[in-house]
Amino acid sequence: MQVAICGAGPSGLSQLHAFECARQNGYSIPNIVCFEKQTDFGGQWNYSWRTGFDNYSEPVHSSMYHNLWTNLPKECSEFVDYSFDEHFGQPFTSFPPRTILSDYIRGYAERNNVRQYIRFNTVVRWISYSDEKQKFHVVVKDLLKDETRSEEFDYVIIATGHFSTPNVPYFDGIETFPGRILHSHDFRFAQHFHGQDVLIIGNGFSAEDIALQLYKYGAKSIILSYRTKPKGFKWPDGVKEVPLLVRIDKESVHFRDGSSHTVNAIIFCTGYVHHFPFLDDNLRLKSTNSLYPADLYKAIVWVHQPRLLYLGMQRLTFSFNIGNVQA
Amino acid sequence: MQVAICGAGPSGLSQLHAFECARQNGYSIPNIVCFEKQTDFGGQWNYSWRTGFDNYSEPVHSSMYHNLWTNLPKECSEFVDYSFDEHFGQPFTSFPPRTILSDYIRGYAERNNVRQYIRFNTVVRWISYSDEKQKFHVVVKDLLKDETRSEEFDYVIIATGHFSTPNVPYFDGIETFPGRILHSHDFRFAQHFHGQDVLIIGNGFSAEDIALQLYKYGAKSIILSYRTKPKGFKWPDGVKEVPLLVRIDKESVHFRDGSSHTVNAIIFCTGYVHHFPFLDDNLRLKSTNSLYPADLYKAIVWVHQPRLLYLGMQRLTFSFNIGNVQA
């Protein structure tokens, strides 16, 4: 039996660990191949200075920025069977920075002996299912060799994450805005906005975190535009919340309450879309970012073809330990 | 007979025009479908304020910036049978701005009655050739309907251009640089760099043009780093040329001649790669950006499968009138 896993981030690594555990406990396990387009473990936590496209012209996966610290207590991001304390040999702060998380994930993968299953620098181009053969047909590209080939699998597990493809809505007049426009996916250093008036669209975790980064690194003023209701925090001076943006006229941004401001830059903190361009229609999850995506039995099994599984597609529960089912 | 054309930019439109001319002259022509991922004609000239990904999460095609003017005399970009003077009803300057070129291309398409052949908002996902059926198997996605489907064709013509996928080389230490890093593909407004010290890597047409834009819009200083030799122009004050960048250490950039500078931003004007992720290996052109790409007979016909044609893949000769062969 052949099993393909797409992605070697926290979800994919958990799944590999589950198989490897089973093997070490004497069970017979299927042939497993994990395809990872990046050069190393870590998925989202594998930071890149690049934005847009990587050196193989593939979309840059990570949405991390240089000075990111986790916005969840580390206990929410801990693998059940590998504690932070175990990894670092000492007790540990609850909100570690990016590099620590990344190191921890690598440690988890190495300790669990799962590198053997992973083909790095290999991107999945297209997956379809043949009713006739009862197999998945998987087209992958070896980025180093610049070669594409096809393989057949009995099961496919999608663990590619859903915080990589930015959602960037249109606002009337935005094409006239002469300042910088970016999505939090492409945000790398808050220093870029030193001395600037910045508009942040959105008020989720990214908006909150980036606003405080901008403040810390000397942005002149920061406006957060919310869709439904403000956070209402005691923001520092120079940070304020306003209702939804309705119109842009060159440097002027106009809000639903009739107020307007002049800004130098706009940062979209408007979240991500579930994007699986490599999946045939009848296999492709079409979901908004929610706690319980449509068409997934127990939030994992694709109801239209139960040999297809999705891991870690839920909102918020960015647990490193979801889905050690199957096998 | 079924013919697929990928892309409705200048090359694709020329090809459609050739077919439509033949039809109007009484010849029988094949069934033609032109797939265009954007919502309108124009390819590269269809400017977008977006960078990275478009509203359908497809890579943004255009590398145009807001205030771009053509860097070739318009006579080099004129369709043989549709002059600028004809389009605008009056004689015309040699170096028109972006919007004029775009308008001209749309005019050409409308006058030639080729809209009927084009499926807009449709991206080509995968093309392979079946020796058994002697057909191309083409997978396309309708972006509006969010639906993927397969079609068969006897001929395929690739007219997707090769100025959309940035080439961004690595330089030692670049991950420590806290300023903005971008490729000219994502450059939109020179105003972003007002008052800044900017390093441009490269000294081709884009480097030259963007350097002068930055100067015009108030960048504090501009350094162009060349690989082989300087342009040696009489640059304005505040613009200078230096040898190749060898190392970056935070804000400090170090060059081959031992000199170093402190800069706020780095713009890669390092060109584009031929990128056809939708083509099976045995159909895929692997070429550097040159005047005469490998494996193309008469620079058009794919030697390994002569029912596959490539249009406009040459460097420099960005003629709007290449390749009205075939049919």
Side-chain angles (χ1 to χ4, degrees), chain B residues 36-40 56 119-123 141-144:
Chain B
E36 170 55 53
K37 73 173 180 176
Q38 301 186 100
T39 55
D40 204 352
Y56 297 111
R119 281 198 230 151
F120 291 104
N121 302 300
T122 304
V123 64
K141 179 171 181 187
D142 181 322
L143 298 169
L144 293 178

Side-chain angles (χ1 to χ4, degrees), chain B residues 80-259:
Chain B
V80 176
D81 53 358
Y82 188 58
S83 73
F84 278 90
D85 295 359
E86 184 181 344
H87 178 69
F88 291 105
Q90 57 183 30
F92 213 72
T93 172
S94 259
F95 295 89
R98 171 177 66 73
T99 48
I100 296 295
L101 250 301
S102 177
D103 191 74
Y104 169 69
I105 295 167
R106 288 201 179 100
Y108 176 74
E110 296 296 0
R111 198 205 56 161
N112 293 333
N113 196 30
V114 299
R115 188 178 278 275
Q116 56 181 321
Y117 300 114
I118 305 174
R119 281 198 230 151
F120 291 104
N121 302 300
T122 304
V123 64
V124 176
R125 274 274 175 274
W126 188 249
I127 302 179
S128 56
Y129 185 77
S130 161
D131 282 324
E132 200 184 313
K133 288 190 182 173
Q134 303 263 308
K135 299 268 187 193
F136 290 95
H137 183 76
V138 178
V139 179
V140 298
K141 179 171 181 187
D142 181 322
L143 298 169
L144 293 178
K145 291 185 186 158
D146 193 15
E147 280 175 11
T148 307
R149 63 171 182 285
S150 295
E151 299 182 30
E152 288 184 344
F153 290 93
D154 302 289
Y155 285 83
V156 169
I157 300 170
I158 308 295
T160 51
H162 57 101
F163 294 110
S164 289
T165 307
N167 171 48
V168 182
Y170 175 77
F171 288 94
D172 192 28
I174 195 165
E175 59 280 356
T176 68
F177 183 72
R180 186 172 170 194
I181 301 170
L182 75 163
H183 186 277
S184 58
H185 174 64
D186 294 325
F187 181 86
R188 291 291 179 271
F189 283 88
Q191 290 93 316
H192 298 184
F193 304 92
H194 182 89
Q196 296 197 1
D197 298 301
V198 183
L199 167 63
I200 292 177
I201 300 173
N203 73 340
F205 293 133
S206 297
E208 180 189 333
D209 200 39
I210 288 176
L212 293 174
Q213 286 267 329
L214 293 174
Y215 175 76
K216 183 173 162 190
Y217 285 94
K220 196 162 109 202
S221 75
I222 299 145
I223 301 167
L224 290 102
S225 165
Y226 56 85
R227 181 186 296 273
T228 45
K229 59 178 185 180
K231 291 258 186 203
F233 293 157
K234 261 190 92 175
W235 295 102
D237 282 352
V239 181
K240 73 170 182 174
E241 295 187 272
V242 299
L244 191 64
L245 178 68
V246 288
R247 186 168 58 85
I248 299 170
D249 181 12
K250 299 206 175 95
E251 298 88 347
S252 298
V253 291
H254 299 264
F255 303 98
R256 188 172 276 171
D257 62 358
S259 69

Side-chain angles (χ1 to χ4, degrees), chain A residues 44-243:
Chain A
Q44 191 60 249
W45 295 90
N46 196 0
Y47 171 79
S48 174
W49 59 273
R50 293 178 186 266
T51 57
F53 303 93
D54 68 17
N55 51 328
Y56 297 112
S57 304
E58 297 298 318
V60 167
H61 190 73
S62 183
S63 301
M64 296 276 147
Y65 45 91
H66 193 81
N67 294 313
L68 179 136
W69 290 57
T70 56
N71 54 17
L72 281 173
K74 78 168 195 301
E75 288 71 16
C76 296
S77 302
E78 206 160 44
F79 294 106
V80 176
D81 54 357
Y82 187 59
S83 73
F84 279 90
D85 296 358
E86 183 182 344
H87 178 70
F88 290 105
Q90 57 182 34
F92 214 73
T93 172
S94 257
F95 294 89
R98 171 178 67 71
T99 48
I100 295 294
L101 251 301
S102 178
D103 191 73
Y104 169 69
I105 295 168
R106 287 199 180 100
Y108 176 74
E110 296 296 1
R111 197 205 58 160
N112 293 333
N113 194 31
V114 299
R115 188 179 278 277
Q116 57 181 321
Y117 299 114
I118 305 173
R119 280 198 230 149
F120 291 104
N121 302 300
T122 304
V123 64
V124 175
R125 274 274 175 275
W126 188 247
I127 303 179
S128 56
Y129 185 78
S130 162
D131 283 324
E132 200 184 315
K133 288 190 182 173
Q134 302 263 308
K135 299 268 188 193
F136 291 95
H137 182 76
V138 178
V139 179
V140 298
K141 180 172 180 185
D142 181 322
L143 297 170
L144 293 177
K145 291 185 184 156
D146 194 15
E147 279 174 12
T148 308
R149 64 174 180 281
S150 295
E151 300 181 29
E152 289 184 347
F153 290 92
D154 301 291
Y155 286 83
V156 168
I157 300 171
I158 309 295
T160 51
H162 57 101
F163 294 110
S164 289
T165 307
N167 170 47
V168 182
Y170 174 78
F171 288 94
D172 190 29
I174 195 166
E175 59 281 356
T176 68
F177 183 72
R180 187 173 170 194
I181 301 170
L182 74 162
H183 186 277
S184 57
H185 173 64
D186 294 326
F187 181 86
R188 292 291 180 271
F189 284 88
Q191 290 92 317
H192 298 183
F193 305 92
H194 182 88
Q196 296 197 1
D197 298 301
V198 183
L199 168 63
I200 292 178
I201 301 174
N203 73 340
F205 294 134
S206 297
E208 180 188 333
D209 200 40
I210 288 176
L212 293 174
Q213 285 267 328
L214 293 174
Y215 175 76
K216 183 174 162 191
Y217 286 95
K220 195 162 110 204
S221 76
I222 300 146
I223 301 167
L224 290 102
S225 165
Y226 58 84
R227 183 186 295 273
T228 45
K229 59 179 185 184
K231 290 258 187 206
F233 293 157
K234 260 190 92 175
W235 295 103
D237 283 353
V239 181
K240 73 169 183 173
E241 297 188 90
V242 299

